[in-house]
Amino acid sequence: MSDIKKVVLAYSGGLDTSVIVKWLQDEYQCEVVTFTADLGQGEEVEPARAKAEAMGVKEIYIEDLREEFAANYVYPMFRANTIYEGEYLLGTSIARPLIARRLVEIAQETGADAISHGATGKGNDQVRFELGAYALAPGIQVIAPWRDWDLTSRESLLAYAEKHNIAV
């Protein structure tokens, strides 16, 4: 039996993180707190709240971080000329440390035992989330479902969602 009673999930409201809510609830028998960072995606934020509520999430954090993101992450990124291969702006990747910081802070505020994210093993986002979290809270436990579960494709996620009545 896991000693995790509460976990804070970086939650977008998309397929992956919606499945993760239910998976965490079942696999760890724990309370899930969701955190959605508004970094400028606008209309996508409130539907995430509705989906989390429909899945029984009691603590839902949605925060407007646009100003902080622009001032403390995007502008310094531009000043440093961090453009991948001369054309790709690193907006998504530069957001991960900010999201990781808020995950850690919310975990501390709510007494959560762990944080979680939906980054797949195919990219660098796992590293960005986790190293950010470990830098701020070295002992924090991170749950990375894509490393642990047997759901390995979009089709398996959709089947899981259908089986558990998760809106996608």
Side-chain angles (χ1 to χ4, degrees), residues 16-80:
D16 294 15
T17 57
S18 294
V19 166
I20 290 171
V21 168
K22 178 66 175 155
W23 183 84
L24 288 169
Q25 290 168 335
D26 289 351
E27 187 73 17
Y28 288 88
Q29 298 293 302
C30 69
E31 179 183 348
V32 177
V33 176
T34 60
F35 167 60
T36 304
D38 181 355
L39 300 171
Q41 62 271 43
E43 298 172 355
E44 297 175 22
V45 175
E46 281 307 314
R49 178 189 310 278
K51 286 179 81 173
E53 287 173 347
M55 296 180 69
V57 175
K58 303 282 187 267
E59 291 182 85
I60 300 168
Y61 288 74
I62 296 178
E63 296 179 8
D64 183 346
L65 300 177
R66 292 175 297 176
E67 222 173 280
E68 180 178 2
F69 181 52
N72 298 332
Y73 294 79
V74 175
Y75 290 141
M77 179 186 69
F78 284 141
R79 285 194 300 272

